[in-house]
Amino acid sequence: MTRLILFGAPGAGKGSVGDCLEKKRGYVRIATGDLIRAEVKARSPLGLQVQEILDRGGLVSDGIIIEMVKQHVQTLNTDGYILDGFPRTLAQAQALSALPCQREIAFYLEVNEDLVVKRLLSRLVCQQCGTIYNTLTRPPQMEGVCDLCRGTVSRRSDDNEATIRQRIAVYLEQTMPVIEYYKGHDRLCTVDGVGSPKEVAERILKVLE
Ligand code: AMP
């Protein structure tokens, strides 16, 4: 089992790049943000509990997130998986290291802060299938409608400027040390995150060859 970890600021392109890698390698992408948003959408007890955290750009508790990831990884029947948005804290990184795998590489998608804010403010997401659009670079053919599944395309509730700034602050404070941890253990590969998701995914695939 191979484990790829995608690190990068909110808006660095982890979701879109992870999607390309999933298609190219047949690995399963596990995006903790997607799992959390599904709970909120379903208005489950957990969803109701975490909605407010999501809206203010905070982190959901380690215990909840670690349990979610463990459950997903246990049911996998593939050669590998891609983690997008996990681990975000040192406690999560420690819990992850207890899950066995033969090969693990963490990729850090490097982009500057101005670019991520611009990307997030112009990002739209299909509420049904999760396809990511961008009002500037990749708008849906018909406004508000997904090209692929005809679902509703709209902005994520946490993609507003105040919440974006908070998410970046949390990222710098909580997740940067995790990235340093992987770097210190020689398990981090830094990749230029500027360019289309396909271009960035190609850079990662070259490292995996
Ligand atoms: P994302 O889609 O990765 O930007 O995540 C959206 C939101 O979900 C974050 O701002 C957090 O509130 C929550 N979340 C996602 N992944 C994690 C994680 N690994 N640890 C804690 N909270 C998370």
Side-chain angles (χ1 to χ4, degrees), residues 8-11 14-15 29 31-37 50-62 64-66 68-69 84-89 92 120 123 156 158-159 163 166-167 170 175:
K14 300 182 296 295
R29 182 172 71 97
T32 43
D34 288 352
L35 299 178
I36 289 288
R37 275 185 294 280
V50 300
Q51 165 103 62
E52 181 267 332
I53 298 171
L54 220 79
D55 287 344
R56 67 173 156 80
L59 290 186
V60 174
S61 77
D62 286 332
I64 292 175
I65 293 284
I66 290 167
M68 270 184 155
V69 171
D84 161 1
F86 182 93
R88 262 175 154 101
T89 64
Q92 292 178 15
L120 292 177
R123 173 165 77 176
R156 258 171 58 170
D158 56 351
D159 280 347
T163 309
Q166 176 59 18
R167 284 156 62 204
V170 168
T175 310

